[in-house]
Amino acid sequence: MNFRMNRRRRLYEGKAKVLFEGPEPGTLVQYFKDDATAFNNQKKGTITGKGVLNNRISEYLMTKLGEIGVPTHFMRRLNMREQLIRKVEIIPIEVVVRNIVAGSLAKRLGIEEGTVLPRSIVEFYYKKDELGDPMVSDEHITAFGWASPHELEEIMSLALRINDYLSGLFLGIGLKLIDFKLEFGRLWDNDEMRIVLADEISPDGCRLWDVRTNEKMDKDRFRQDLGKVEEAYQEVAKRLGILPEGIIPQEIRPEASEKDE
Ligand code: TMP
Ligand code: ASP
């Protein structure tokens, strides 16, 4: 534990990240762990260097999205495992966008993995670990007041814009964006509220397949014990051009990366 981590108040610990109080009001520090879970915490493990890579990958993608006008919680990366973010009120909904059938959709509807969807599909899941994040419809979301109809409209349109942009970005580096999960939050600017993209975008919450071989390059390698898990995360970062070859593997060790840059 370094100085920075000790002096900050830990506010929340999730499965893959820890949130600390930020240096200024309205900010938080998001720390990326190497811990990985799947199937609602039933499978647990570590993916060495994942935290360092996801910190960079999420920084890169959120910055790019910011440049095309998608508001995000990301402010700046602080060091190997931490980034400064705006404190938002998280909307308790996981927004999943799908382009190609995989995962729970393949299972639930008995459709073959890899089937191209006639159009992108947006799904909502209620964020509640005890219940295993059940799928819900827009009706549940608005009836229970988790988000207003107006907020949900904004979330849908942002999610589809993000999908269009990221699909193109990944295709450019030889990866198909099969599906991914987003979280949104409310950010107040004086009296005005904005919906912003929160959490992270990384191979933990995306399915990415190599365009040529259809090889899985994401957390499914961990979920399904496919091996070469670390290598897949490294390859995604490398293709995005954010992994200088020399930094692997020494600098992504947990001990080495807790030091500030
Ligand atoms: P699914 O096919 O298991 O429903 O997952 C769809 C996408 O959402 C996939 O890219 C993985 C991501 N995801 C998460 O990030 N967190 C979760 O808890 C779940 C269930 C899926
Ligand atoms: N991250 C979720 C969990 O731990 C599910 C998943 O990604 O498969 O359970």
Side-chain angles (χ1 to χ4, degrees):
M1 280 268 158
N2 67 4
F3 171 70
R4 184 189 281 282
M5 288 195 57
N6 281 333
R7 104 190 122 104
R8 285 204 184 112
R9 204 153 62 90
R10 180 187 293 248
L11 301 176
Y12 171 82
E13 176 147 12
K15 286 177 277 198
K17 296 188 292 294
V18 188
L19 290 177
F20 295 91
E21 202 167 57
E24 297 123 39
T27 67
L28 297 175
V29 172
Q30 180 164 255
Y31 176 94
F32 289 75
K33 300 191 279 186
D34 283 351
D35 297 352
T37 65
F39 315 118
N40 200 22
N41 233 349
Q42 289 178 52
K43 183 183 172 90
K44 289 190 177 87
T46 5
I47 303 174
T48 308
K50 172 171 83 76
V52 173
L53 296 172
N54 282 357
N55 187 22
R56 297 236 177 195
I57 294 170
S58 203
E59 169 195 22
Y60 179 81
L61 297 176
M62 292 241 182
T63 303
K64 287 281 185 191
L65 287 167
E67 285 167 6
I68 63 154
V70 172
T72 82
H73 73 162
F74 180 80
M75 295 172 76
R76 63 191 161 87
R77 190 168 59 81
L78 296 172
N79 55 52
M80 296 283 270
R81 282 179 186 272
E82 294 177 319
Q83 49 181 245
L84 187 68
I85 57 171
R86 276 180 222 291
K87 186 177 185 169
V88 301
E89 185 184 295
I90 290 286
I91 293 168
I93 301 296
E94 299 199 341
V95 180
V96 170
V97 185
R98 301 181 186 270
N99 300 305
I100 293 177
V101 176
S104 68
L105 180 62
K107 209 169 148 195
R108 192 169 355 101
L109 301 184
I111 305 172
E112 199 188 341
E113 192 169 84
T115 307
V116 178
L117 290 165
R119 61 177 176 84
S120 303
I121 292 178
V122 181
E123 296 173 347
F124 304 111
Y125 295 84
Y126 180 42
K127 257 171 82 77
K128 199 84 177 160
D129 276 346
E130 310 91 275
L131 301 176
D133 296 347
M135 191 178 189
V136 292
S137 77
D138 53 350
E139 291 278 293
H140 299 102
I141 296 171
T142 53
F144 293 116
W146 298 322
S148 71
H150 177 72
E151 287 173 334
L152 206 51
E153 223 171 90
E154 177 71 6
I155 286 170
M156 280 281 275
S157 103
L158 283 171
L160 290 171
R161 250 178 96 203
I162 293 167
N163 182 47
D164 283 347
Y165 181 78
L166 291 185
S167 292
L169 184 146
F170 280 118
L171 205 55
I173 55 167
L175 294 170
K176 277 191 270 190
L177 182 58
I178 307 300
D179 58 31
F180 60 102
K181 186 263 289 183
L182 300 172
E183 291 184 30
F184 293 90
R186 298 185 184 96
L187 181 67
W188 273 272
D189 251 339
N190 296 317
D191 268 352
E192 242 182 272
M193 192 274 293
R194 270 196 309 162
I195 298 289
V196 306
L197 178 64
D199 191 49
E200 70 179 298
I201 308 183
S202 73
D204 268 12
C206 295
R207 285 195 174 93
L208 298 164
W209 296 359
D210 183 86
V211 251
R212 278 191 313 112
T213 64
N214 276 341
E215 201 185 344
K216 294 180 175 165
M217 308 282 280
D218 53 62
K219 204 169 109 180
D220 269 352
R221 299 205 74 83
F222 168 78
R223 292 189 190 98
Q224 302 170 4
D225 295 314
L226 299 176
K228 296 204 172 157
V229 185
E230 280 85 0
E231 288 85 346
Y233 281 74
Q234 288 168 23
E235 178 65 19
V236 172
K238 215 179 276 177
R239 290 197 195 181
L240 287 169
I242 53 182
L243 184 71
E245 247 161 273
I247 95 159
I248 294 289
Q250 296 84 357
E251 288 180 40
I252 60 169
R253 288 192 324 258
E255 324 85 73
S257 59
E258 280 187 5
K259 293 192 198 90
D260 288 353
E261 280 179 345

